[in-house]
């Protein structure tokens, strides 16, 4: 309810920030399912926003225990890692396909 009121009273640019803040808050408080739903909503609204994609992929890597290794650097975020789950690999392929069209 609070989230919807915040969105209704904000501009489009602000609504993306609000969506990400709520997703981060849900993730921080352990509600991964709701955070995932919010990230998916963000991707559906802003499909070429790398910030949303990166946060969503990181959430899924944590959730599926295929999180980044110590020698990982940010430039590799959108590269499939050897320990990525099939779900994470699918997200990365889907994100990359947006830029190949």
């Amino acid at each position: 309810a609070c989230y919807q009121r915040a969105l209704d009273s904000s501009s489009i640019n602000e609504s993306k920030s609000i969506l990400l803040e709520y997703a981060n808050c849900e993730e921080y408080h352990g509600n991964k399912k709701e955070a995932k739903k919010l990230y998916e909503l963000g991707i559906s609204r802003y499909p070429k926003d790398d910030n949303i994609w990166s946060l969503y992929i990181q959430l899924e890597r944590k959730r599926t225990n295929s999180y980044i290794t110590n020698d990982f650097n940010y430039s590799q975020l959108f590269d499939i890692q050897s320990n990525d789950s099939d779900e994470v690999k699918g997200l990365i392929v889907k994100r990359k396909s947006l830029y190949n069209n």
Side-chain angles (χ1 to χ4, degrees):
C2 183
Y3 169 70
Q4 191 58 50
R5 283 194 309 266
L7 283 180
D8 291 344
S9 65
S10 65
S11 71
I12 292 189
N13 289 337
E14 291 174 320
S15 66
K16 181 169 41 170
S17 296
I18 291 168
L19 185 141
L20 290 177
E21 285 299 319
Y22 272 88
N24 286 332
C25 185
E26 293 291 352
E27 184 178 354
Y28 177 80
H29 289 288
N31 191 351
K32 307 279 190 241
K33 187 182 243 183
E34 188 63 25
K36 179 179 178 176
K37 211 162 74 172
L38 290 168
Y39 288 132
E40 288 172 347
L41 175 63
I43 286 170
S44 71
R45 290 184 179 174
Y46 313 99
K48 290 193 174 186
D49 188 303
D50 278 347
N51 187 36
I52 297 172
W53 276 105
S54 67
L55 292 169
Y56 184 33
I57 289 170
Q58 289 177 65
L59 171 77
E60 288 302 297
R61 280 186 168 142
K62 289 178 195 173
R63 192 182 66 75
T64 60
N65 294 320
S66 59
Y67 199 57
I68 55 180
T69 59
N70 290 337
D71 60 346
F72 180 86
N73 66 54
Y74 186 80
S75 66
Q76 297 171 312
L77 178 65
F78 298 120
D79 293 336
I80 294 176
Q81 305 298 308
S82 61
N83 61 341
D84 278 342
S85 68
D86 289 341
E87 190 170 346
V88 171
K89 290 175 185 175
L91 287 174
I92 292 169
V93 168
K94 182 177 178 179
R95 184 222 161 245
K96 286 183 177 182
S97 72
L98 291 171
Y99 291 91
N100 292 335
N101 293 333

